[in-house]
Amino acid sequence: MSAGLIEPHGKQLINRSLEGHERQDTFEQAHALPRITLSKRNIADLQCIATGIYSPLEGFVNEADYNSIVKDMRLSNGLAWSIPVTLQIPESDAEKCRLDSQIALAHPNGEILAVMTVKSKFTPDQDHEAQNVYLTTEDAHPGVKAMKAEGPVYLGGPISLVNDIPYDNFLEYRLSPVQTRLEFANREWNTVVAFQTRNPIHRAHEYITKTALETVDGLFINPLVGMTKSDDIPADVRVKCYETIMSLYYPKDRTLLGVFPAAMRYAGPREAIMHAIARQNYGCTHFIVGRDHAGVGDYYGTYDAQTLFREFNADELKIQPVKFEHAFYCKLTGGMATAKTSPSAKEDRIHLSGTKVRAMLRDGKKPPAEFTRPEIAQILIDSMQAPALSAV
């Protein structure tokens, strides 16, 4: 690892994946343990914990850390952490999960993935969690709905991965922090800006990522491919868009694509902090924060995520936020811009809503070139007219 790379959050990159004889022995012993079947969100969190994406977490958070995160956006030791990563179970499974004992964590296909030592078992006030983390208790909020659906009983404790999590997509892009840090070092990138997205890259995204790239050594495009809302564009379609636009419109030697396996929580400002921490663990020094980062509906203010970063100093978050206003195509200047750089009136600015763009795509109409590259528009049109495609 290059001495020039940023240190992981908490100073140590966590690895909770067992190897060799220890892995095999623990896997075999796990078959005799009480078993919990994981949800899609659990599996995404398990992957992020085991590979160090969520460093310094070594497992699902215990009650003390949970309470501290919900109240103060910090672990109980004071380290910045904005969203509780929890293992929630139904009450019917609670009795078999005893304190200071081990349980097996299984994939829905029945395969045991990990062993967990139960250090904490508690039943918190989920409305209190929802109000603090998501700023609402409404089930209409997809993050609140998903959280409550996971179960009312929370388990905390360290995990050990004993089996590879089965994936059949994006295998070449499923890079761990160890792998990205090695790649950054090999490319001699000491400064790297990360771009989080759950949407295809349109012209506004292209503008802000390239503007940020002007100031650093490399750009890490790191789209989230875990669980998202049913009306979000499927991950397989998005990855095809990323591959296409990067091959045609970005410098290959200064950009890298890797997928972020996390589940989307739609927690707005708090999720922006969590996303930044994960990218610091990947080895990135800078993190793009645009309008309504990780937002949904009207639950958060347009730039609330940018404001929240002010609550953490440089000693708490080493990664630096790169803040952008809403970008648009400016007819007056003939290029992409923001309100900071364009003197144009609103009628001279082209930016379409996601609802309007989806309607155009369903009708087989290409959005204007000022909004998206034609190659990307065609991929999206084809996907909209192929209902067999399903979200990851």
Side-chain angles (χ1 to χ4, degrees), residues 277-323:
I277 290 171
R279 276 41 181 240
Q280 179 179 329
N281 289 327
Y282 275 119
C284 300
T285 54
H286 297 73
F287 181 63
I288 293 171
V289 187
R291 61 180 292 275
D292 198 23
H293 186 108
V296 64
D298 297 321
Y299 290 101
Y300 314 110
T302 305
Y303 299 109
D304 283 357
Q306 296 183 2
T307 301
L308 188 60
F309 274 87
R310 298 174 190 164
E311 296 192 19
F312 301 90
N313 61 44
D315 290 331
E316 294 182 291
L317 288 181
K318 302 293 185 184
I319 193 167
Q320 299 179 39
V322 183
K323 302 174 183 180

Side-chain angles (χ1 to χ4, degrees), residues 45-178:
D45 288 341
L46 184 68
Q47 176 77 24
C48 291
I49 294 167
T51 60
I53 296 170
Y54 283 170
S55 295
L57 299 191
E58 297 186 357
F60 294 96
V61 298
N62 60 32
E63 186 172 11
D65 283 332
Y66 169 87
N67 288 329
S68 183
I69 294 165
V70 170
K71 181 176 180 288
D72 297 321
M73 291 186 292
R74 285 165 177 80
L75 299 172
S76 56
N77 65 7
L79 191 68
W81 196 271
S82 56
I83 293 179
V85 179
T86 56
L87 177 59
Q88 299 165 232
I89 60 173
E91 290 181 341
S92 57
D93 284 337
E95 187 174 345
K96 66 182 180 182
C97 301
R98 299 184 178 181
L99 287 175
D100 297 317
S101 67
Q102 290 188 319
I103 57 175
L105 306 181
H107 192 277
N109 67 11
E111 195 74 42
I112 291 175
L113 299 177
V115 169
M116 174 179 171
T117 301
V118 180
K119 290 295 185 181
S120 189
K121 183 166 70 170
F122 56 105
T123 305
D125 181 343
Q126 290 187 321
D127 280 342
H128 178 72
E129 176 183 344
Q131 188 61 53
N132 280 267
V133 175
Y134 301 97
L135 304 186
T136 179
T137 60
E138 295 178 6
D139 286 343
H141 187 293
V144 173
K145 182 179 180 181
M147 179 267 289
K148 291 185 176 180
E150 291 286 316
V153 180
Y154 290 49
L155 304 179
I159 61 95
S160 295
L161 201 69
V162 297
N163 210 351
D164 292 336
I165 297 174
Y167 293 111
D168 59 4
N169 54 9
F170 322 132
L171 298 184
E172 66 182 293
Y173 301 124
R174 291 188 179 275
L175 306 174
S176 70
V178 169

Side-chain angles (χ1 to χ4, degrees), residues 227-258:
M227 186 176 64
T228 59
K229 296 189 287 87
S230 60
D231 60 345
D232 281 344
I233 293 172
D236 53 353
V237 176
R238 292 189 284 112
V239 169
K240 187 175 181 181
C241 291
Y242 305 137
E243 291 173 331
T244 300
I245 197 168
M246 289 176 70
S247 69
L248 295 173
Y249 297 105
Y250 283 81
K252 294 180 178 61
D253 61 336
R254 297 195 63 212
T255 52
L256 178 68
L257 175 64

